[in-house]
Amino acid sequence: MTALATPGPQWFATWLECVGDFGEEFRHGSGESMVPQFGPDRRSFNRLLDVVRVESGVAAPPPTGRVACDYFWVTQGPTMIGFLALRHSIDTEFLRTYGGHIGYSIRPAYRRQRHASHALGLALPLARDLGLEAVPLTCDDDNLGSARTIESQGGVLENVIDAKRRYWIDL
């Protein structure tokens, strides 16, 4: 069964497998772009856990140019199969236009099994708990799997900007 797990040190071995399965593909929702010189290794993993703690904390404002964000690892039992980020706001031009409130990715070996739809479905009540009434999400215009995932959770296409489909899901 698909679940959202809080990132933590106990996930290192399966995180390493998950990142390896993605290869060079960008891992949406992972937070790893905030880790300088990211590599699938223990040092990067520990730095990623630091990023997760800093960005999800509401006690202090996030770093300049960033927004508060809760990171989750998509799991199936003891296996990590992807990433999901739930941003508390979209207070940057990039997020308003190209990102949205929720970003996710599922590792290649687990795609086409509805894990992304289930993970997104699990994130929507959490977005509502943040006080959000609707959330925008985006995907590449040619990513029909992600488009179907968003639509399966009530996403309504608003427009396409720079080859990015922009959807809204009412909560």
Side-chain angles (χ1 to χ4, degrees), residues 76-134:
Q76 181 180 40
T79 305
M80 185 175 165
I81 61 171
F83 304 92
L84 186 137
L86 172 58
R87 298 173 193 97
H88 296 202
S89 67
I90 53 170
D91 293 340
T92 70
E93 185 61 32
F94 177 82
L95 290 177
R96 281 191 295 277
T97 305
Y98 302 107
H101 274 285
I102 301 171
Y104 58 84
S105 58
I106 300 296
R107 64 194 269 192
Y110 288 85
R111 291 181 185 157
R112 300 179 196 267
Q113 299 173 35
R114 301 193 41 83
H115 293 296
S117 294
H118 290 134
L120 179 56
L122 292 169
L124 295 176
L126 301 174
R128 190 178 313 111
D129 290 347
L130 291 172
L132 303 173
E133 296 178 4

